[in-house]
Amino acid sequence: MAAVTPLLTTTDLCKAFGGLRAVDHVDFSVAPGEVRAVIGPNGAGKTTFVSLVCGRIAPTSGTIVFDGRDITAMPAHERVRAGIAYTFQITSVFPNLTAFDNVALPVQRTLADGRGSGRLRDGVMAALSRTGLAARAGTPAGALSYGHQRLLEVAMGLALKPRLLILDEPTQGLSDGEIDSFVGLVREIARDATVLLIEHNMPVVMALADRITVLDAGKVLAEGTPDEIRANAQVQAAYLGTEAA
Amino acid sequence: MGFGPHLLLATLEGLVTSAVLALTALGLSLVFGVMRVVNVAHGEFYMLGAVVAWWIASLVTGHPALGFLAALVVSPLIVGAMALVCERLVLRKLAYNPESTIVATIGILYIIQQLALTFYGADARPVPPPFNVRVQLPWFGYSGYKLSVIAASAALLLATWFVLTRTRIGLVMRATQYDGETARAFGIPVETVYAGVFALGAMLAAIAAVLIVPISQAHYLMGRDPLLLSFIVVIIGGLGSLRGTVLAAVLIGLADGIISVFFSPTLAKIIATLLVAMVLVFRPQGLFGTAAR
Amino acid sequence: MTREETSIRTWLLHALVVAALFALNFVLPDYHHGVLARVMVLAVFAMGYNLLFGYVGLLSLGHAMFFAAGLYGAGLPMVHLGWGAGAGFATGLAAGLALSLAIGFLALRTTGVAFMIVTMMFSQVVYLLTFYFGSWTRGDEGLVIQQAERRLSFAGFDLDLTSPATRYMAALILFAVVLALTLAIVRSSFGRVLVAIRENEERTRMLGFDVFAGKLAATVVSGTICAAAGAAYAILFGYVGASFASVQYSILPLLWVLLGGAATTLGPLLGTLLMYYLIDGSGDLLKAWLPGWNVSHLGIVGLALVVLVLFFPRGILGTIRGRWVRWLP
């Protein structure tokens, strides 16, 4: 991996809320094309960490470099334009807009001319088809089932044509069948984008991740391949040990 | 009269304004602090307090002090009852949604103005002060009644402070202000607290109005300036803070009194309003922070 | 129904409304003819307000300042410098544009309740300024623009904007242009972003949109439309007074839009029209029923606001759209 220039690097990244260090001196890097899982117990700082990466909150100190550019001070919407897409942990589609309009928003942002309604429609339908929602284009997002809303959320992320797609607990609340098709979808996405996956569901993590970073109390506890992480005693003590049934 | 005495006079006038303003703004601040809603009709409860005071005073014969005292007791009760009706019929139905409540209380503002115009009329009418004593200072004589307004207001503020910080009622209010959901879980009747706070806020405005009505007359449009000034005080003083509200009221009242004596009142209002708007724009977190969605 | 069919149907509906207003010019009795001309100008004010309140979800309590900017921006140079109607209208628009840009830049740093209070305070400043500069504006009493100034001359035409038919047509043209503009905006990609901001600001930002810029653009378009209404009001009705900058004229567009239906293109016209006749008609009725009583429109406005917020928060067209006609823009 050392030979590849990382897509995303954080150096000495910190975020403190009052006295609580939610993210504590995190050095982290992801290579292009990788599927990276970030795991850790509740309150380990996973969501805070990716929120720093996508710019929803500002770090207390440290730097973030994306594709060779220092983006630490860049506002969130510009980071999205630079290629970092974030899908929310709590489903936050636009409930009163149709599925089509939900996806049209990110598509129109990426279209150079923005006016060609034909190209807009093609882009929207492509993203909806990829997530299996094409037949529901005209349905208000709020009327979709929970599983479909999660898929719509991913479709919106996809439509941004991101280079780094951050999925924050995407399988939360999905049924087993939905999770299986979701894993297939992420594999497909990973063919042309780098994926940063925050996930609690260990089978999903083990099935998808190239590498895993374990956070605990805001610090990086371990990093390695799924097999290495599985074998890591420290991780087992801090995290897997409590969950492995 | 030299500059010094002139300034003293302006300061005294400013303190009278401050005294009345502190009570009115405290009512607005309590409602905003506990219920998280802005009551735009607050100035109209003030106006109602004055109008009802005139009505009661005109019913009571004999010494003016009798009529005034009757008004001081009955007027806040009537206004508080009207506030309860508004709370029951409107605010509760809106589930205290901040934006809907503002629009609805604008509606209530107009309805109350209309009621006052219809039943009281468009004239300005005075209430005779309970006593006519002039306190003779070395440079000028000053109304003893105005000095008593300052004292009465200070006493009422102290009483409110005592209730809020030293009694069970105050504890329940602060618990509701801190977290309504948790308060409900602990068996606090949150809706009753809201109704009580809304009525109390209106009553404070009504008391302020009864105190001022012997000095300035009762009129159906008299609620406008107190509303704006109360907003200013609440914004400057910080939300839900009794001390901040009183300090800001003294500051604004004195500034209003002194600036109006030496400068054009319109210019003073323009500058004050602009400054307060800027405070809200650049320091919203300390002032309206939690109300912002 | 495909998107094309919806599109055709929508434009057709709006064209029909404009055509109906055009036809009314020839059949209405004098009094109602005059009322409708006034209502169309005020409906432009309401449409400007609706763009920000209905579509972006920003509840301003200070839009009277933008109407006043147009009113005084047009009226002051016409009265004091003897400018013509065309130049007056242009300065009115420019004043509204500049003011909405400045106010948007400041007020949009706040949200929710603070935004409402801040806009109200800025508007109050503008209101007080009309008194402070009373030597030019004559405050409450106001200015009357002479008939001679209220003419529009171009390309050999010389239109007398004080004649009822010309005035009606001028109001209709302004109304139609702003209606088409509103419709085009809400159906555009930009309109979709505005609605997205209303629905979920944070999500919109995380789709790569500059939310502040979007809100600022909407504020400027909204403010400038309101200023266009103010400038047209000054020119067509010849009166420029401080009451148009008062709090009440910030509340009225809110009321009109709430009544007609927020975030509907035709709601502002419907709301303005109904409210105008409600106030107008109830005044006479109440005077007949309660002779000698002091009645004004205050109570009607207040009751309407409370009833709308409590029972019909979506307004007339919003309710119709929710229940029956889903394609209504």
Side-chain angles (χ1 to χ4, degrees), chain B residues 238-252:
Chain B
L239 125 91
S241 151
L242 181 61
R243 194 184 304 160
T245 304
V246 173
L247 278 178
V250 171
L251 184 75
I252 299 291

Side-chain angles (χ1 to χ4, degrees), chain A residues 113-184:
Chain A
D113 58 340
R115 262 180 294 280
S117 66
R119 282 181 61 197
L120 178 72
R121 163 113 36 106
D122 294 345
V124 174
M125 292 318 288
L128 286 173
S129 302
R130 245 177 121 180
T131 47
L133 291 170
R136 292 181 170 76
T139 311
L144 293 172
S145 72
Y146 181 75
H148 284 147
Q149 288 189 21
R150 299 270 358 160
L151 285 174
L152 182 60
E153 180 89 42
V154 175
M156 290 160 77
L158 275 182
L160 288 169
K161 299 208 172 79
R163 301 174 57 204
L164 177 67
L165 178 63
I166 302 172
L167 299 166
D168 195 351
E169 308 217 357
T171 66
Q172 201 178 40
L174 294 187
S175 70
D176 289 348
E178 285 170 331
I179 289 179
D180 288 344
S181 51
F182 194 85
V183 169

